[in-house]
């Protein structure tokens, strides 16, 4: 999101030293909802996975954030928009996978995903601010849990200027996990309607 205007991409609350605590990022919520919708569309048209005995498998989508306020906003909007059934953090999508099995939607804070894997894991970094304060991303254990939950595809959504460490020349810093992931990944700078002013 680093190329979006500051008023659109910066986290809330926006106090003088960016140390408010209960962070959320509305732009990232919008982008995550687009990504979840695309993943459901993909699962409904393409997911035909079976186990060793030929039994169809459900597709599991996990949406994670390091911040409870962001996770709550993601949970409320994603599950209201895409899911049926009951469950606070985990429900089944209204659409089924191409193999007829349910599409499982799980939205929560990253810590609750420890020991679990999802077919697709979507991580909202949340933090975006002028002093480039990364918050919980600096906790390597939490970050490791968050970025290792995906069986097939990991999607990171966030402000690369805030989250990825850089040297004095602006180059991605070697040895920093998020900087390495950014360097080795396919980076979409203006993906989705939320970053293109509502245009498809």
């Amino acid at each position: 999101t680093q190329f979006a205007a500051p008023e659109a991409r910066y986290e809330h609350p926006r106090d003088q030293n960016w140390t408010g605590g209960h962070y959320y990022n509305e732009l990232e919520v919008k982008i995550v909802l687009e990504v979840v919708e695309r993943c459901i569309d993909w699962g409904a048209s393409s997911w035909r996975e079976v186990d060793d005995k030929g039994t169809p498998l459900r597709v599991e989508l996990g949406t994670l954030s390091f911040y409870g306020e962001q996770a709550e906003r993601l949970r409320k909007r994603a599950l209201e928009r895409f899911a049926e059934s009951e469950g606070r953090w985990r429900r089944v999508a209204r659409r089924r996978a191409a193999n007829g099995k349910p599409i499982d939607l799980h939205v929560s804070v990253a810590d609750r995903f420890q020991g679990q894997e999802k077919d697709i894991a979507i991580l909202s970094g949340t933090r975006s601010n002028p002093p480039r304060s990364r918050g919980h991303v600096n906790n390597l254990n939490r970050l490791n849990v968050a970025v290792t939950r995906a069986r097939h595809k990991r999607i990171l959504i966030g402000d690369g200027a805030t989250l990825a460490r850089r040297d004095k020349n602006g180059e991605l810093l070697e040895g920093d996990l998020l900087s390495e992931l950014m360097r080795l990944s396919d980076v979409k700078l203006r993906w989705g309607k939320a970053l293109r002013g509502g245009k498809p």
Side-chain angles (χ1 to χ4, degrees):
T1 62
Q2 73 187 58
F3 296 105
E7 61 272 11
R9 78 175 193 266
Y10 285 166
E11 71 215 25
H12 296 272
R14 300 175 178 185
D15 61 12
Q16 289 183 347
N17 56 11
W18 301 86
T19 57
H22 298 284
Y23 292 107
Y24 68 94
N25 188 308
E26 186 58 31
L27 177 59
E28 288 188 26
V29 170
K30 291 174 184 175
I31 296 169
V32 168
L33 291 174
E34 286 186 66
V35 171
V36 169
E37 184 171 32
R38 288 269 188 103
C39 290
I40 291 170
D41 290 346
W42 168 82
S45 65
S46 302
W47 182 263
R48 292 180 174 80
E49 295 292 311
V50 295
D51 65 15
D52 294 341
K53 298 177 182 176
T55 305
L57 297 171
R58 66 173 47 208
V59 60
E60 297 180 336
L61 305 179
T63 301
L64 307 78
S65 173
F66 296 109
Y67 295 92
E69 182 68 26
Q70 181 79 346
E72 182 62 32
R73 287 166 185 266
L74 290 167
R75 179 198 69 79
K76 183 175 182 192
R77 291 180 45 197
L79 297 183
E80 282 178 2
R81 186 168 167 186
F82 304 117
E84 59 186 17
S85 73
E86 296 297 322
R88 177 151 170 78
W89 298 99
R90 192 172 187 169
R91 295 186 192 170
V92 173
R94 289 186 185 94
R95 297 178 67 193
R96 287 181 129 2
N99 66 3
K101 296 299 278 187
I103 298 174
D104 182 70
L105 303 176
H106 188 179
V107 185
S108 192
V109 291
D111 296 346
R112 290 192 181 143
F113 282 84
Q114 191 158 1
Q116 300 180 49
E117 286 187 327
K118 303 297 177 185
D119 296 300
I120 300 173
I122 305 161
L123 172 62
S124 171
T126 309
R127 299 302 300 271
S128 175
N129 53 68
R132 297 180 177 176
S133 175
R134 302 193 317 175
H136 293 319
V137 169
N138 284 332
N139 182 317
L140 193 55
N141 290 334
R142 275 185 163 157
L143 181 58
N144 185 54
V145 167
V147 300
T148 58
R149 298 304 92 198
R151 289 186 195 101
H152 301 293
K153 186 158 190 82
R154 171 184 52 235
I155 301 169
L156 305 176
I157 297 167
D159 181 350
T162 297
L163 299 175
R165 291 284 185 237
R166 297 174 188 274
D167 64 20
K168 59 186 174 188
N169 298 319
E171 299 296 320
L172 292 168
L173 195 64
E174 289 188 31
D176 177 73
L177 181 56
L178 276 182
S179 297
E180 294 292 337
L181 286 171
M182 194 168 175
R183 183 189 346 269
L184 299 171
S185 298
D186 181 19
V187 177
K188 309 249 186 230
L189 300 180
R190 295 187 186 273
W191 186 91
K193 290 186 249 182
L195 286 177
R196 291 195 311 269
K199 297 173 187 170

